[in-house]
């Protein structure tokens, strides 16, 4: 039983915390990554949220969708909770940087799919986005709301919310792939927050520190909602300020005595590389009880380097907390046992490539895998992705799961929802339904180990990229690359995910120029560095009988050097 059970929605969970101690600190925002630009108590959060909720209710937006176009800060936090207080489903999307066409196209794709009845933004952004969105939305049917429209004296009515009401849509798609909005209900959100609270031993009075993007499930659910619904306070900064100067993260943990904070694996490596001993002067990390690591493959070497580098600042190695999750499960699936060292086992590499699990001593021919811990409050099974049968022990298969945190499906995609969220095990009709995660892994003595992805999603530096987006960009670079004749895959190089582009060309001419153009266009459109461009002879890419690219087979063929190259292009 999770410690948050009893409330049926987020409002019912939050208001008793407000009544218990309205003066307790809820949110602090570091406007420049170092200095406070605002802070709210639980009482202020409640008042601001009720005022916005009253405006939404006045405009008959209960049960409707509101798109949030707000920069990081307390105004965005108010919009999140204000929508929940009103019974309005929020849709959160990152603000595209200036002159980033691909990011703006992604926003337009999300807006066209969810068809919001309201847009909550700032006066300045309202003017900027209205013109750009006119081509995809009927602006006449949309309420554009800003902070200037909110009446602090507005009359708020507690919403009639059951656990099945949608809390928000979490979009996971890229700019050109079909948008997929994960439908997260109040029940899903509360269940997962409870699982996080138990798995990470969150306590009232604790402090969360986060630079994670709030439009991403890890920042939204794992930090904003998990901390506040657990009676903690949360200190926020913009992701940009962390990337510019990673030491700001550790300084905030030290200054505010943060007990909970985390990030994808790349951020820990970035800290080791970029933070100098001089910058660490005065930093104390003894308060950091849970340093979670997820959202991309967790590397054993990263854990070791980070622990060794910052132990002099008081960081305890057992604070490092590998975990696993995905948006379709709201966020959190499983994690390490709190306050114990991470579990790291070594397995035979050749066997892993054949989807077999064979323990091996550390050394050449062995690969160290980090356990993602044990599932919290949900059932996990390992299934053969082709036959849907339960895998025997010692076999790698697709991770399937069931639990109250598994979401309702994809917005207005019933067939894809049924395939992904309604999976059944062959020969076990009473089991499930299960969520097909698309991730590969195995269970070893109850611990979940994630070995790779059966699905096509590419995760680099903590950001999701859909191969269809990258492939469309590649096809636009060179007219001779026919649709369906290129593949974007992620490969493991020096313990990091790297992007590789495979493309068939009808002739082995101008290969260096073509490779250079592909690298340049992908960098410009997707902010990604291409590790390798492999230009292939026609008919080289593995495909299904219907002509679809088999990216999983492409990765294996690339790794095993079984692709028919024209030649290896010169590095551009």
């Amino acid at each position: 039983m999770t410690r948050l059970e009893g409330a049926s929605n987020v409002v019912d969970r939050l208001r008793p915390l407000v009544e218990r101690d309205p003066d307790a600190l809820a949110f602090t925002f570091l406007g420049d990554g170092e200095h406070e630009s605002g802070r709210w108590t639980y009482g202020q959060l409640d008042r601001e949220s009720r005022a916005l909720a009253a405006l939404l209710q006045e405009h008959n937006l209960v049960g409707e969708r509101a798109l949030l176009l707000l920069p990081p800060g307390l105004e965005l936090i108010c919009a999140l909770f204000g929508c929940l207080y009103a019974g309005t489903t929020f849709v959160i999307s990152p603000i595209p940087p200036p002159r980033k066409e691909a990011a703006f196209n992604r926003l337009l794709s999300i807006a066209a799919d969810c068809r919001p009845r309201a847009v909550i933004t700032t006066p300045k952004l309202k003017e900027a986005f209205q013109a750009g969105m006119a081509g995809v939305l009927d602006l006449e049917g949309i309420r554009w709301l800003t902070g200037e429209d909110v009446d602090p004296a507005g009359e708020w009515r507690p919403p009639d919310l059951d656990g099945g009401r949608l809390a928000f849509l979490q979009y996971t798609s890229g700019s050109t792939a079909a948008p997929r909005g994960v439908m997260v209900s109040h029940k899903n959100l509360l269940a997962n927050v409870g699982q996080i609270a138990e798995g990470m031993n969150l306590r009232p009075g604790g402090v969360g520190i986060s630079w994670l993007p709030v439009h991403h499930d890890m920042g939204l659910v794992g930090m904003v909602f998990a901390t506040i619904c657990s009676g903690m306070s949360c200190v926020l900064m913009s992701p940009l300020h962390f990337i510019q100067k990673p030491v700001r993260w550790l300084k905030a943990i030290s200054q505010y005595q943060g007990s909970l904070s985390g990030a994808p694996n790349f951020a820990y490596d970035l800290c080791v590389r970029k933070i100098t001993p001089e910058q660490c002067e005065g930093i104390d990390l003894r308060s950091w009880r849970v340093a979670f690591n997820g959202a991309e493959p967790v590397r054993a070497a990263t854990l070791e380097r980070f622990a060794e580098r910052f132990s002099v600042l008081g960081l305890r190695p057992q604070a490092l907390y590998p975990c696993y999750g995905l948006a379709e499960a709201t966020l959190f699936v499983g994690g390490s046992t709190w306050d114990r060292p991470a579990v790291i086992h070594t397995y035979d590499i050749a066997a892993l490539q054949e989807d077999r699990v064979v323990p091996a001593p550390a050394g050449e021919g062995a690969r160290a895998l980090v356990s993602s811990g044990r599932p919290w409050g949900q059932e996990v099974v390992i299934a053969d992705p082709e036959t849907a049968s339960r895998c025997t022990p010692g076999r790698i298969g697709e991770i399937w799961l069931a639990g109250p945190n598994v979401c309702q499906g994809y917005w207005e995609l019933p067939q894809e929802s049924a395939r992904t969220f309604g999976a059944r095990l062959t020969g076990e009709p009473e089991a499930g339904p299960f969520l097909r995660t698309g991730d590969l892994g195995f269970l070893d003595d109850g611990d979940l180990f994630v070995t790779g992805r059966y699905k096509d999603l590419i995760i680099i530096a903590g950001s999701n990229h859909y191969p269809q987006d990258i492939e469309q960009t590649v096809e636009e670079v060179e007219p001779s690359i026919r649709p369906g004749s290129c593949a974007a895959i992620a490969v493991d190089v020096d313990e990091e995910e790297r992007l590789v582009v495979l493309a068939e060309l009808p002739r082995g001419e101008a290969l260096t120029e073509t490779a250079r153009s592909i690298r340049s266009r992908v960098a410009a459109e997707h902010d990604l560095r291409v590790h390798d461009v492999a230009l292939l002879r026609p008919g080289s890419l593995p495909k299904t009988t219907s002509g679809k690219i088999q990216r999983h087979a492409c990765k294996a063929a690339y790794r095993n050097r079984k692709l028919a190259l024209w030649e290896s292009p010169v590095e551009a």
Side-chain angles (χ1 to χ4, degrees):
M1 177 178 292
T2 65
R3 67 182 70 182
L4 301 185
E5 286 183 355
S8 62
N9 58 71
V10 175
V11 181
D12 289 346
R13 171 59 195 166
L14 183 58
R15 300 223 72 208
L17 297 175
V18 174
E19 294 169 1
R20 184 183 68 188
D21 191 357
D23 295 326
L25 186 61
F27 286 104
T28 302
F29 189 72
L30 307 180
D32 61 359
E34 299 182 33
H35 302 95
E36 293 185 13
S37 59
R39 56 166 51 195
W40 279 352
T41 64
Y42 272 81
Q44 288 173 298
L45 173 63
D46 180 67
R47 287 192 296 273
E48 297 288 344
S49 299
R50 283 190 282 115
L52 176 58
L55 177 65
L56 295 171
Q57 291 173 340
E58 178 186 338
H59 286 294
N60 299 315
L61 293 169
V62 176
E64 299 291 350
R65 297 165 303 288
L67 180 62
L68 310 186
L69 295 179
L70 293 162
L74 294 182
E75 194 170 1
L76 174 57
I77 297 299
C78 174
L80 300 174
F81 284 92
C83 285
L84 296 178
Y85 267 55
T88 300
T89 300
F90 69 78
V91 183
I92 190 167
S93 178
I95 302 293
R99 297 179 297 279
K100 284 291 185 180
E101 182 180 356
F104 188 70
N105 288 340
R106 181 178 189 272
L107 169 62
L108 294 183
S109 178
I110 291 172
D113 187 68
C114 73
R115 303 184 310 281
R117 285 284 311 282
V119 176
I120 302 176
T121 187
T122 66
K124 183 177 180 180
L125 290 175
K126 174 182 175 180
E127 181 178 346
F129 282 114
Q130 271 187 329
M133 296 175 70
V136 299
L137 294 175
D138 176 13
L139 299 185
E140 293 296 324
I142 297 178
R143 300 277 187 180
W144 289 76
L145 306 176
T146 72
E148 296 178 352
D149 301 312
V150 176
D151 180 0
E155 184 178 351
W156 171 68
R157 301 180 303 279
D160 182 16
L161 295 176
D162 60 39
R165 177 72 68 87
L166 284 187
F168 61 96
L169 296 180
Q170 175 72 57
Y171 274 87
T172 64
S173 75
S175 58
T176 59
R180 296 191 303 175
V182 178
M183 299 187 291
V184 185
S185 70
H186 279 261
K187 176 184 177 182
N188 298 146
L189 179 55
L190 281 181
N192 206 225
V193 165
Q195 291 158 346
I196 294 170
E198 284 201 356
M200 299 186 184
N201 195 30
L202 304 189
R203 305 170 182 172
V207 180
I209 310 291
S210 180
W211 55 265
L212 298 169
V214 177
H215 67 265
H216 188 274
D217 53 356
M218 182 184 278
L220 179 66
V221 178
M223 291 304 302
V224 170
F225 287 128
T227 55
I228 297 306
C229 290
S230 298
M232 300 172 61
S233 66
C234 188
V235 180
L236 301 170
M237 71 175 77
S238 165
L240 178 62
H241 291 133
F242 162 72
I243 297 296
Q244 289 174 337
K245 195 175 181 182
V247 75
R248 288 170 172 155
W249 184 23
L250 304 191
K251 281 186 174 181
I253 292 170
S254 177
Q255 178 181 349
Y256 292 94
Q257 292 294 284
S259 55
L260 170 74
S261 193
N265 193 84
F266 86 91
Y268 292 91
D269 275 330
L270 189 66
C271 287
V272 172
R273 294 198 310 268
K274 297 294 186 180
I275 297 177
T276 66
E278 293 75 19
Q279 290 177 320
C280 292
E281 185 176 349
I283 294 179
D284 183 350
L285 300 180
R286 287 177 292 178
S287 66
W288 200 357
R289 295 168 54 248
V290 177
F292 61 83
N293 183 333
E296 64 182 28
V298 180
R299 310 289 184 180
T302 299
L303 299 180
E304 294 167 2
R305 285 192 295 263
F306 192 83
E308 180 180 1
R309 175 72 172 77
F310 296 108
S311 61
V312 295
L313 305 183
L315 176 72
R316 298 174 302 116
Q318 58 266 40
L320 297 175
Y321 187 98
C323 52
Y324 167 71
L326 66 164
E328 286 83 350
T330 306
L331 171 64
F332 183 71
V333 172
S336 301
T337 301
W338 174 79
D339 209 30
R340 293 184 182 177
V343 174
I344 302 174
H345 291 168
T346 53
Y347 299 93
D348 182 84
I349 293 177
L352 291 175
Q353 292 177 347
E354 297 173 354
D355 292 336
R356 295 185 295 113
V357 181
V358 178
E364 187 176 353
R367 177 183 174 191
L369 293 180
V370 180
S371 164
S372 295
R374 303 192 174 215
W376 286 90
Q378 50 206 290
E379 178 186 4
V380 169
V381 301
I382 306 300
D384 186 308
E386 300 296 335
T387 66
S389 58
R390 189 187 296 263
C391 287
T392 57
R395 300 292 300 187
I396 294 172
E398 186 179 9
I399 300 168
W400 290 15
L401 60 96
N405 54 303
V406 173
C407 298
Q408 311 302 296
Y410 297 120
W411 175 254
E412 294 191 341
L413 293 173
Q415 293 183 337
E416 188 170 355
S417 295
R419 287 194 301 269
T420 303
F421 293 84
R424 296 282 184 177
L425 288 167
T426 300
E428 301 182 42
E430 73 287 352
F434 292 98
L435 165 67
R436 297 188 62 161
T437 68
D439 292 312
L440 298 174
F442 61 92
L443 292 167
D444 187 350
D445 195 25
D447 275 279
L448 176 64
F449 289 82
V450 182
T451 60
R453 285 183 294 278
Y454 183 73
K455 62 186 179 183
D456 298 329
L457 186 66
I458 295 171
I459 306 176
I460 294 178
S463 296
N464 295 347
H465 302 271
Y466 281 77
Q468 299 94 321
D469 296 358
I470 300 168
E471 289 158 5
Q472 179 169 316
T473 298
V474 173
E475 290 168 6
E476 292 171 352
V477 171
E478 174 53 58
S480 64
I481 300 176
R482 302 187 313 276
S485 297
C486 67
I489 59 175
V491 298
D492 194 333
V493 179
D494 296 332
E495 297 190 340
E496 288 187 6
E497 292 274 277
R498 303 288 179 87
L499 173 64
V500 169
V501 172
L502 314 177
E504 294 180 357
L505 287 179
R507 296 175 301 277
E509 301 171 358
L511 299 178
T512 300
E513 291 78 5
T514 300
R516 183 182 295 116
S517 297
I518 289 172
R519 293 176 188 274
S520 176
R521 183 69 69 85
V522 170
E525 294 291 331
H526 304 279
D527 284 331
L528 283 173
R529 179 182 179 276
V530 179
H531 171 73
D532 188 18
V533 178
L535 300 179
L536 314 175
R537 297 175 184 274
S540 300
L541 288 175
K543 298 181 180 181
T544 66
T545 55
S546 61
K548 294 182 180 179
I549 294 291
Q550 293 180 304
R551 297 186 185 88
H552 192 59
C554 287
K555 183 182 295 189
Y558 176 83
R559 183 178 60 221
N560 297 322
R561 302 178 183 275
K562 292 184 177 180
L563 293 169
L565 294 168
W566 280 113
E567 66 178 54
S568 297
V570 176
E571 179 73 21

